[in-house]
Amino acid sequence: MAASGTARFDNRIQTAIQLWDARTFAPIRTFMLKPGLIPARGVTFSNDGKRLLTARGEQIDVATGASIYTIEGSESNIEEAIFAPDDTEILVDAEGGVERRRASDGSLIVRHYGADLRKTARYSPDGSVFIYQDLEHQELFVVDRESSKALFSIPYYEGSPIEHTDFSPDSRFLATASQNGNARIWNLADKSLVTSLIGHQGSIYDISFSPDGRYVLTASEDDTARIWDAATGETVTVLHGHTSDVRKARFSTDGVTILTSGYDGTARLWNWRGAASAPAIPDSAGSGSFLKGGEQIVVGPWGNPARPITIRDSRTGALVKTLPHTSELLAAENGSILVTGDYSNVTVWDGDTLEERFSLPGTGWRLRADDGSLVSANGHILALAKANGEFEIRNDKGDLLLEGSHPQALPLAISADDRLVATGDRSGVLRIWDISTGEYRSYEGHKDWIRDAKFTADGKRIITASSDGDARVWDLSTGETRSYPVEPGKTWLAMRVALSPDGQLAAVGGVSRNLLLIDMANNEVAGRFPTESYLRTVDSLTFSPDSRLLAVGFSQGEVRLLDAGTGEFVGRYRRHTDHVRDLRFSPDGTLIATSSWDNTVNLLPFWPTLEDLLSAAKEAAPRCLTDTERKTLHVTQTIPEWCGAR
């Protein structure tokens, strides 16, 4: 039969309770409720499995189906009832209060007025205490069962009711979770807060301890479940896979497997100690780029010299090397060079050996990408901005190639052949500089600040995004340009541009509810795809190495994956609490590094598509299964088309 516990039902009329075998799912018995009794909205087993208690106060003998008693006056005022671990009493959520009653006959022991169970009332596993919450006074009470006196109370956090609770198996600790995403662990012996569980980006819908009490499991609105270290509050593993709110999460009795279910209509089983999850980066501080073909990741401080620059293994998170403290970090897209520095010094490092190549003393350096400093994709050219509006173009040996200056002009892009640098200013003028000659050509069309730009692979065109709300594609030989409003009829700021590696698509985003895709081959809009208003600004964009996916970082900390062919959002990550300022795919496309204003870097595992899995399966087993093999492996007997003739 079903294990003991509380089940909640909706308010639909029910006239009977059905008992099922939990192993075979076969019906065992139907219990008809008393004539005229208002239907129960929930039932719970006694811990010995011999009795049932309905949420309307009727106790039933499981063996015979006979009604033992009904709590007096219970037809209208009992919402839920729970057995104590020793089955000698029950905790009843009655109208206006919580009642403790004797399980033998339903007689009243004590009543706590002004209380409301609301999913939180429960006994500790050893039965020594029970909890309930008082909505009026915004507190959850821990009550000694023997004396019926409150030992202490837990106040609501920021006024949010405590929706879910769980005791540790040894009854020493209590985990609480609120709708505002706050979860905490309390020591019941000394009545103190042990730790807070910080990391979810949405409401927490479920919380529970592992059978050994070492871990806590939470389910959240942010589409993830998380496993936490109960002693330290650190995240141990994040379970990604659901595409909507995760509503329930539970450990198996041996603690090895986890069951989750969500609003996406799926339930999932996880072998959590082997669950796919990106490694933790303990010293992350806001800027991350891949090195050595994605094997390593460099994590930088982004304006915080108190944090080190570290190089770590991108699969395990193990520390490889620490670089001297500095304020800023830039890296080539291919990871061949790193640029570190602050206002008074710039150092360039070899991305393979991690040895210093050269250093540039001086004052006024501004190394943030938003300030105009950047590195070419192949690492051969550096554009270094200064506070006085000047910029220097140098090669990867440190040789000065060009000194440029123009009021309020910032370097935006370097062409793939390392010949051209694009700058944009606040008046909307685009300038293309020839690095070898130092000459530039101006292009006018934008009416406001040019925020971002990308050259096409052949260097013949460039796409720009401006605060005037438009993206423009320019023919650099003729000067002709075509305008693409991000949101027609509105002058929302266009902030970021990305070009797919195959050159077929450009993506543009900004302060708009639209994400714009441009067909670069046919010079037309490929689509405008709306996003939810809460996502606010698009802060970063990048395509996957195979051009099939577009990663989008938003100002409220969320990262979305978009199918570049269909425009459908196919993935969502909520790891950050502030602007996602940069996104990088690993060269093999299996990881995404995200950097945020919340001073963290996250590595997000990317899940292969069905087509990828089928291709891998074909390579691993390049023949059709026999009929016997198909039956043995419980594979459909319909032979797939790709098998062909056997």
Side-chain angles (χ1 to χ4, degrees), residues 251-558:
F251 286 99
S252 59
T253 53
D254 61 7
V256 174
T257 305
I258 286 173
L259 173 66
T260 62
S261 60
Y263 271 179
D264 59 4
T266 67
R268 295 168 184 261
L269 285 173
W270 311 77
N271 181 355
W272 75 267
R273 296 180 188 274
S277 179
I281 306 177
D283 48 17
S284 64
S287 180
S289 299
F290 288 101
L291 306 176
K292 293 189 176 181
E295 295 179 3
Q296 297 174 354
I297 184 170
V298 57
V299 180
W302 198 58
N304 187 350
R307 290 181 180 265
I309 291 179
T310 60
I311 290 88
R312 293 183 172 273
D313 187 291
S314 62
R315 301 295 172 180
T316 66
L319 181 66
V320 176
K321 185 172 182 175
T322 301
L323 300 183
H325 288 223
T326 185
S327 293
E328 305 296 344
L329 167 68
L330 295 171
E333 190 174 315
N334 68 355
S336 59
I337 65 169
L338 308 175
V339 182
T340 66
D342 52 31
Y343 191 80
S344 60
N345 185 73
V346 173
T347 302
V348 177
W349 307 78
D350 187 288
D352 291 323
T353 66
L354 302 179
E355 299 295 328
E356 181 180 329
R357 286 194 182 183
F358 61 88
S359 182
L360 301 173
T363 58
W365 299 108
R366 302 183 67 173
L367 293 187
R368 294 185 184 180
D370 291 342
D371 291 331
S373 290
L374 59 149
V375 183
S376 63
N378 57 25
H380 295 163
I381 300 294
L382 290 73
L384 305 174
K386 291 188 173 182
N388 59 4
E390 297 178 352
F391 60 89
E392 294 183 2
I393 307 299
R394 293 179 178 267
N395 62 21
D396 55 2
K397 298 179 178 61
D399 301 325
L400 181 64
L401 305 179
L402 170 66
E403 285 185 289
S405 177
H406 205 284
Q408 298 180 323
L410 297 176
L412 298 172
I414 301 171
S415 62
D417 59 8
D418 299 329
R419 293 190 310 106
L420 305 173
V421 174
T423 65
D425 63 26
R426 292 177 182 270
S427 67
V429 177
L430 172 69
R431 293 177 178 85
I432 306 297
W433 301 71
D434 187 308
I435 294 176
S436 62
T437 66
E439 297 178 350
Y440 67 82
R441 179 179 176 182
S442 298
Y443 299 81
E444 297 186 6
H446 282 301
K447 301 178 180 63
D448 205 338
W449 189 359
I450 300 177
R451 299 279 189 153
D452 199 8
K454 292 291 185 295
F455 284 97
T456 57
D458 58 11
K460 295 180 179 181
R461 293 184 297 168
I462 190 170
I463 181 170
T464 56
S466 168
S467 294
D468 62 13
D470 287 352
R472 284 183 175 269
V473 178
W474 309 78
D475 186 307
L476 298 182
S477 61
T478 66
E480 294 180 356
T481 180
R482 180 170 179 178
S483 175
Y484 298 88
V486 176
E487 192 162 342
K490 297 184 179 180
T491 57
W492 299 108
L493 278 65
M495 304 284 288
R496 292 290 180 262
V497 172
L499 273 176
S500 61
D502 62 10
Q504 298 300 303
L505 288 174
V508 184
V511 185
S512 169
R513 295 186 183 180
N514 278 347
L515 186 66
L516 172 66
L517 288 184
I518 300 173
D519 184 332
M520 295 295 288
N522 298 307
N523 295 315
E524 62 185 16
V525 173
R528 289 184 176 90
F529 305 101
T531 60
E532 294 92 329
S533 60
Y534 78 90
L535 294 172
R536 300 195 292 271
T537 305
V538 172
D539 276 349
S540 48
L541 295 164
T542 189
F543 282 91
S544 60
D546 61 7
S547 300
R548 291 179 4 193
L549 290 172
L550 175 68
V552 187
F554 293 93
S555 60
Q556 56 76 251
E558 188 167 306

Side-chain angles (χ1 to χ4, degrees), residues 30-41:
T30 299
F31 301 120
M32 302 305 296
L33 299 182
K34 275 189 174 182
L37 187 67
I38 293 176
R41 291 187 294 180

Side-chain angles (χ1 to χ4, degrees), residues 8 41 53-57 71-82 90-101 106-119 121 130-135:
R8 279 188 175 270
R41 291 187 294 180
L53 185 63
T54 74
R56 290 302 186 189
I71 296 174
E72 184 179 351
S74 64
E75 286 197 21
S76 61
N77 66 355
I78 292 181
E79 295 293 326
E80 190 172 9
I82 303 167
I90 55 178
L91 197 61
V92 178
D93 175 13
E95 187 176 318
V98 172
E99 300 173 347
R100 285 174 57 208
R101 290 179 173 270
S107 59
L108 181 67
I109 300 173
V110 67
R111 180 181 178 89
H112 299 269
Y113 288 93
D116 190 335
L117 269 75
R118 293 288 177 105
K119 308 175 188 176
F130 65 91
I131 58 173
Y132 68 86
Q133 67 173 309
D134 189 326
L135 294 179

